[in-house]
Structures are given as C-alpha cells and as structure tokens.
Amino acid sequence: MQEVYDFLKKCQTYYLATDDNGQPRVRPFGTIDIFDGALTIQTGKVKDVSKQMHANPNIEICAFDGDKWLRVCAKAIEDNRLEARVHMLDAYPNLQKMYKPDDGNTEVFKLTEVTATFSSFTEPSKTIKW
C-alpha cells in the first residue's frame, strides 16, 4: 500500500474512472491519503463522481510519472467518520478553503479489494493486492 501511495503522491495528479450508468467517466484527482490502514481519496458529496461511486463502487485509477505507470482497480467505500475527513484535510490544507470536516459535503472513500499494477516499457509488470 505504501508503494502505491508514494507513487500517487509523486505524480500529484492521477485519473479516476467511475461508471455513470454504463458510461465511463474519467477525471483528474489529486487527493491520496492513508488513514486507519486504508488508502483513501476525497471528494464532495455534491459532485457527480460521489454519486457515481455510491451507485457503483468499482473504480480505477491511472497515473504516470514519466517512466512508469500505475493502474489501481478497487472498490471505493465511504468512510463516514469525522476523523477520516479531518485527517484528509490536514494532509491537504489547500482544500480547507473549500471543504470542512463537518460541512456535510466533504467525503472520504477508502479503497478496498485493491489490485495495483506498476508497468513500464523497460521492466516486467509488478502487481500488488490487498
């Protein structure tokens, strides 16, 4: 998990894919955290991405650092604890202008059933599961 976290932090931006009634939706994301033993991401409940993950928690993440790329297949499950939201916003102070832990909008999703695959053109792929 730490290796996946470190890679995504290094990339700063990754691309999150969700399902919107059979139509794939992909958008840039930047939040990644480890909280209570889980990799977590953050969004706002008012956003379509939140509604899509609640309707179908199967997501994929893709990131590229200029040399290697990472694909993460997981289920995104809401972690509705205040502590999860506080932890995320402490990790991303720039978001505190838009989000508050108790605003009713800030939402943290933990990634479960994770399969992460690192790939490149010069090395064999490496898959990590948890």
Side-chain angles (χ1 to χ4, degrees):
M1 180 186 321
Q2 187 67 46
E3 187 176 0
V4 171
Y5 169 82
D6 291 343
F7 188 89
L8 293 172
K9 285 294 276 190
K10 177 178 144 184
C11 290
Q12 296 183 348
T13 301
Y14 58 87
Y15 297 88
L16 174 71
T18 58
D19 173 65
D20 184 13
N21 290 322
Q23 177 64 46
R25 301 292 182 195
V26 180
R27 80 276 295 150
F29 250 65
T31 56
I32 193 70
D33 197 12
I34 295 177
F35 177 74
D36 198 19
L39 205 58
T40 59
I41 61 175
Q42 182 273 333
T43 191
K45 289 182 180 182
V46 298
K47 294 184 176 182
D48 288 343
V49 65
S50 169
K51 294 172 182 74
Q52 292 158 9
M53 287 189 290
H54 279 287
N56 181 347
N58 296 307
I59 58 109
E60 288 203 10
I61 289 172
C62 189
F64 181 64
D65 73 357
D67 181 42
K68 296 179 182 178
W69 61 93
L70 170 66
R71 290 187 186 114
V72 178
C73 180
K75 289 193 183 297
I77 307 300
E78 182 183 9
D79 185 335
N80 198 26
R81 294 177 291 171
L82 177 64
E83 298 84 1
R85 297 188 300 271
V86 168
H87 196 271
M88 179 66 77
L89 293 176
D90 283 349
Y92 290 90
N94 58 323
L95 292 178
Q96 293 177 16
K97 294 175 187 151
M98 298 180 296
Y99 296 102
K100 302 289 181 230
D102 58 355
D103 63 7
N105 181 42
T106 302
E107 189 168 40
V108 171
F109 288 86
K110 65 181 176 181
L111 304 186
T112 66
E113 300 178 39
V114 177
T115 300
T117 303
F118 291 91
S119 301
S120 78
F121 290 116
T122 59
E123 300 173 21
S125 293
K126 174 182 173 183
T127 300
I128 303 167
K129 294 183 180 191
W130 72 87

